[in-house]
Amino acid sequence: MSYNNNQQRSFFLNVDWLTVFLFLSLCVIGWFNIHAAVFDENNPSIIDTDTRYGKQFIYIIVAIVLGIIILLLESRFISALAPALYVATTLLLLLVLVKGHNVGGNQAWIDMGGGFRLQPSEFAKFATCLLLARYLSATNVKVTDPKSFLIAGAIILLPMALIKLQPDDGSTLVFCSLIFVLYREGLSPYFLIVVGLLITLFITSLLFNSWYVVAAIIAVTVALALAIKRNRGLVFKIIIGAAISIAFVFGVKPLYEHALKPHQRKRIDVVLGITKDNKGVGYNQNQAKIAIGSGGAWGKGYLQGTQTKYAFVPEQSTDFIFCTIGEEWGFAGSVVVLGLYLFLLLRIIMIAERQRAPFSRIYGYGVASVIFFHVLINIAMAIGVMPVIGIPLPFISYGGSSLLSFTMLLFILLKLDSNRMGVIYA
């Protein structure tokens, strides 16, 4: 990889400052809403470091400094450091299993002293994106080749397996979003279609009698076979697919009963409407929906949210921070936040597509996938259309590890982009 020195010296002029502005906007919105979520009348100052909002202010300052440092790095070293960063985060994931600090049933933190904790799973996300980009951008590596696909899958699955052992289901699922990176690099769309069909069959098999689902599969199969009867090869494939689908349907409930823990099944049952438990497993989501709905069109006003003020929603400064936005800023404020995320994601994809180096493009799609998944799952969880999963809202939820890891994830892309015209080969 080689660079044009003049462009390297003027990289600050090439930084995508609009993306930096979106990053800062989301950080400030998060800081103010954390202040509202855990407001303490005895410590009203938003920069009081004895409070969560005061600590978040420190995290934001550190994140900004970290972003500047990343922009000052040599771009050529980012790809070179990918294996070392991946190994380092993997070792931290192993360490946390042995000496980790347990919070809420998850042994996912390393105590750093002074009330600060490090969550290795957050940093494993950007390290995995970097190594995946380095591997897929290598010469003669094609995701359509079985060997290349298996190696790429192994890069993703290793941190997933270690995080699952903590067990942190939310962070584990985030790595599934990297399938979109593989799709962008040539993975057949049929793979995504099959995954979508399996998810649909899984849900319908829980909601309806298995025989009804099987009857529907047979009816669809017969209709398709009659429509394309001249193409015997395709008809045969459809019949084979139907047979596999029927076997899957009959395996769903046994798998559901034995693979998932009771509290996980209850959360899914509540979301699907199979059971109601507003005072038990469904309490968090029920209170979250009340908080968001009570905000109306324009919200109750800053520090005026009753659901927020009286702590009806647990984890309101972290996993359920969107409830504070909905209650105090209403539908209008929620739309603004969602608009900022949409703009940020579109901007990241645009940045990825304009890269000359395959490594930078692939990494950019990794960034977009991880952020999209976090936003989708967190907000879907808050409004009650997905089970409760412990996953932060990027740049907004309280937490140093989360904010710093997302900052590194984003600013590494901005650094690569700032020098895109200087990259001759990557």
Side-chain angles (χ1 to χ4, degrees), residues 66 70 123 126 363 404-413:
L66 179 61
I70 291 172
F123 297 94
F126 83 85
Y363 177 74
L404 296 180
S405 67
F406 278 117
T407 300
M408 295 175 76
L409 187 76
L410 182 62
F411 274 78
I412 286 173
L413 176 62

Side-chain angles (χ1 to χ4, degrees), residues 53-70:
Y53 34 90
K55 289 179 181 178
Q56 189 71 8
F57 173 70
I58 295 174
Y59 297 148
I60 292 172
I61 297 300
V62 173
I64 292 171
V65 172
L66 179 61
I68 293 171
I69 291 172
I70 291 172

Side-chain angles (χ1 to χ4, degrees), residues 105-106 164 167-170 172-173 202 206 255-272 274-275 281-282 285 386-390:
N106 293 340
K164 177 61 180 173
D168 183 351
D169 295 327
T172 301
L173 288 174
F202 178 82
L206 293 177
L255 180 68
Y256 186 66
E257 293 293 330
H258 295 94
L260 298 180
K261 296 178 181 179
H263 73 277
Q264 293 172 326
R265 295 198 301 269
K266 287 181 180 178
R267 288 175 179 175
I268 295 173
D269 289 345
V270 167
V271 170
L272 295 178
I274 298 173
T275 61
V281 172
Q285 283 190 321
M386 289 196 71
V388 174
I389 300 173

Side-chain angles (χ1 to χ4, degrees), residues 10-54:
S10 62
F11 71 90
F12 263 117
L13 298 176
N14 297 323
V15 172
D16 194 281
W17 292 108
L18 179 55
T19 302
V20 175
F21 171 76
L22 293 171
F23 158 76
L24 292 173
S25 298
L26 290 168
C27 287
V28 171
I29 288 171
W31 180 33
F32 276 90
N33 280 282
I34 291 167
H35 181 239
V38 291
F39 179 71
D40 183 359
E41 293 182 355
N42 296 319
N43 298 282
S45 173
I46 197 170
I47 58 174
D48 189 329
T49 56
D50 289 331
T51 63
R52 283 196 166 192
Y53 34 90

Side-chain angles (χ1 to χ4, degrees), residues 171-344:
S171 294
T172 301
L173 288 174
V174 169
F175 289 83
C176 295
S177 67
L178 296 178
I179 190 70
F180 294 112
V181 178
L182 302 183
Y183 172 70
R184 171 60 182 82
E185 293 307 305
L187 185 67
S188 172
Y190 290 112
F191 188 88
L192 296 180
I193 293 171
V194 169
V195 171
L197 287 174
L198 290 176
I199 293 172
T200 302
L201 286 174
F202 178 82
I203 294 173
T204 53
S205 297
L206 293 177
L207 291 173
F208 305 102
N209 184 289
S210 297
W211 287 106
Y212 294 157
V213 180
V214 169
I217 292 172
I218 293 173
V220 171
T221 303
V222 171
L224 289 173
L226 290 174
I228 55 172
K229 58 184 178 182
R230 293 182 180 179
N231 191 335
R232 293 184 178 181
L234 184 56
V235 169
F236 179 74
K237 290 179 181 179
I238 290 173
I239 293 172
I240 295 297
I244 294 172
S245 298
I246 291 171
F248 178 77
V249 167
F250 285 118
V252 164
K253 289 185 179 178
L255 180 68
Y256 186 66
E257 293 293 330
H258 295 94
L260 298 180
K261 296 178 181 179
H263 73 277
Q264 293 172 326
R265 295 198 301 269
K266 287 181 180 178
R267 288 175 179 175
I268 295 173
D269 289 345
V270 167
V271 170
L272 295 178
I274 298 173
T275 61
K276 289 187 178 181
D277 188 12
N278 290 340
K279 294 184 178 180
V281 172
Y283 175 81
N284 286 12
Q285 283 190 321
N286 185 55
Q287 294 298 323
K289 288 187 285 185
I290 291 173
I292 294 171
S294 67
W298 303 105
K300 296 177 180 178
Y302 188 55
L303 299 179
Q304 301 303 311
T306 53
Q307 290 289 110
T308 296
K309 185 178 292 184
Y310 299 110
F312 284 107
V313 182
E315 308 299 334
Q316 196 156 332
S317 65
T318 52
D319 298 342
F320 285 93
I321 190 69
F322 191 72
C323 299
T324 305
I325 296 170
E327 184 178 21
E328 299 200 346
W329 303 105
F331 179 76
S334 300
V335 168
V336 169
V337 171
L338 289 174
L340 287 172
Y341 278 123
L342 178 60
F343 196 9
L344 176 64

Side-chain angles (χ1 to χ4, degrees), residues 49 55 58-59 99-101 109-119 398 400-401:
T49 56
K55 289 179 181 178
I58 295 174
Y59 297 148
K99 295 187 177 182
H101 187 84
W109 285 265
I110 296 174
D111 197 341
M112 305 297 289
F116 293 95
R117 297 180 187 134
L118 180 72
Q119 189 174 5
Y398 169 78
S401 292

